[in-house]
Amino acid sequence: MAMAKKRSTSFTARLARWRVWFQTAFLLVWMAPLLRIHSVCSPVFHCYSCPLATFACPIGVLANFSALHVVPYLAIGTLLVTGSLLGAFVCGWICPFGLFQDLLGRIPTPKFTMPAWTGYSRFVVLGLFVLAIPYWFGEQHPLFFCRLCPAGALEAAYPNTVALAIAGKPLVWPTMIKTIIFITVLLLALFTWRPWCTALCPLGAIYSLCNSFSFLFVRVNKNECGDCGLCASLCRYGEGPRQRANDLRCIRCLDCTKCRSVSLSSVLSGAPSTRSTNQHGRQGEPVAVSTSSPTEES
């Protein structure tokens, strides 16, 4: 029986163990030292001013074009296509600033869960600092988004300051407000998972709206769910996928798929059928799923 339960670990759950390696591989795509294609917008949150940045940042493009009173059709198209296909999988699997927060979160410190309402503040950031302030006041305004962005501080402002210092040139320090925001995000990332992504990221706000209709999504099979609470304990944000399989704050890290009733699905998949009681016992009965490594299982 124990071996049968271990073998029932889904492919998606096994895939989730390799998420950090997917993130690292994509980091090499978004920050390639030999490529500078800033006329093309990437689908992830990063700073195009980074010395290693390959593509332009979609949020930076939206903010700058808003200041110019021009519609950025290419950037909007990139976000719509990517969001329609992946939704918030972009946040969980390929975003470089998300990887930075994940690595900080791995440091063993006491963790707390941010209130659910903080997820809506991302739309305030998007509407106010990315669109409204640039449109009405231009890019020179101190609250223009790129002047506040913590990814810009990490990837561009501080590396450029170091480069100026090495070259013996006059230093250009990041603004105080950008430094405060960056340090705040850094400290919060030590004590809660992905604070920027779940509470402030304007790009995450856009992709979260795509979670309910994207091609790939997280499905909860209610026929197999026995209210055991396993999925909630696996969710780093404290609510579990039954409440947020397509919730606005879900980054689709797929950790919850270690529960057998939760799986990765697509719009081409049919609705999950009720499995026979001979295979899985009484309908709705919770069954434990092993999360041990393949070596441990063997």
Side-chain angles (χ1 to χ4, degrees), residues 135-212:
Y135 185 87
W136 292 109
F137 301 103
E139 62 178 325
Q140 299 305 318
H141 194 276
L143 295 181
F144 181 79
F145 179 80
C146 293
R147 298 181 181 276
L148 310 174
C149 179
L154 173 67
E155 299 169 6
Y158 295 119
N160 288 332
T161 300
V162 172
L164 290 173
I166 294 175
K169 297 180 180 180
L171 300 183
V172 179
W173 294 98
T175 62
M176 181 60 67
I177 187 170
K178 175 178 281 192
T179 299
I180 291 174
I181 292 173
F182 172 69
I183 293 176
T184 300
V185 171
L186 187 151
L187 292 177
L188 282 175
L190 295 174
F191 300 99
T192 187
W193 291 99
R194 294 262 193 139
W196 174 260
C197 300
T198 57
L200 294 171
C201 182
L203 185 59
I206 295 173
Y207 286 138
S208 69
L209 294 176
C210 302
N211 275 353
S212 60

Side-chain angles (χ1 to χ4, degrees), residues 33-289:
L34 300 180
L35 296 175
R36 301 283 283 181
I37 315 175
H38 288 175
S39 59
V40 178
C41 179
S42 77
V44 297
F45 184 71
H46 70 109
C47 185
Y48 81 98
S49 295
C50 173
L52 301 178
T54 307
F55 303 99
C57 172
I59 296 300
V61 170
L62 291 180
N64 281 277
F65 274 63
S66 181
L68 296 172
H69 297 182
V70 177
V71 179
Y73 292 105
L74 183 59
I76 293 175
T78 299
L79 296 178
L80 287 177
V81 171
T82 306
S84 297
L85 290 174
L86 300 175
F89 278 112
V90 174
C91 308
W93 288 77
I94 66 176
C95 180
F97 199 64
L99 172 60
F100 170 70
Q101 294 171 85
D102 281 341
L103 295 178
L104 290 176
R106 288 171 176 256
I107 298 175
T109 57
K111 298 292 192 293
F112 69 91
T113 301
M114 299 182 70
W117 60 263
T118 58
Y120 295 99
S121 59
R122 296 175 300 171
F123 296 96
V124 176
V125 175
L126 175 64
L128 183 61
F129 300 105
V130 177
L131 300 177
I133 288 178
Y135 185 87
W136 292 109
F137 301 103
E139 62 178 325
Q140 299 305 318
H141 194 276
L143 295 181
F144 181 79
F145 179 80
C146 293
R147 298 181 181 276
L148 310 174
C149 179
L154 173 67
E155 299 169 6
Y158 295 119
N160 288 332
T161 300
V162 172
L164 290 173
I166 294 175
K169 297 180 180 180
L171 300 183
V172 179
W173 294 98
T175 62
M176 181 60 67
I177 187 170
K178 175 178 281 192
T179 299
I180 291 174
I181 292 173
F182 172 69
I183 293 176
T184 300
V185 171
L186 187 151
L187 292 177
L188 282 175
L190 295 174
F191 300 99
T192 187
W193 291 99
R194 294 262 193 139
W196 174 260
C197 300
T198 57
L200 294 171
C201 182
L203 185 59
I206 295 173
Y207 286 138
S208 69
L209 294 176
C210 302
N211 275 353
S212 60
F213 62 83
S214 61
F215 180 82
L216 292 176
F217 61 97
V218 177
R219 185 195 296 275
V220 179
N221 187 349
K222 294 184 179 180
N223 294 324
E224 291 189 349
C225 180
D227 291 321
C228 65
L230 176 60
C231 57
S233 66
L234 292 170
C235 179
R236 289 172 173 170
Y237 305 99
E239 297 180 10
R242 288 217 305 142
Q243 289 73 38
R244 58 191 297 269
N246 294 306
D247 185 85
L248 294 180
R249 293 198 303 159
C250 179
I251 65 166
R252 296 182 168 178
C253 63
L254 299 184
D255 284 347
C256 59
T257 61
K258 295 171 185 176
C259 173
R260 194 186 61 191
S261 63
V262 186
S263 62
L264 173 65
S265 190
S266 74
V267 296
L268 300 180
S269 304
S273 59
T274 305
R275 305 194 180 189
S276 65
T277 55
N278 291 334
Q279 288 179 316
H280 299 292
R282 181 169 49 86
Q283 178 179 332
E285 182 180 358
V287 178
V289 177

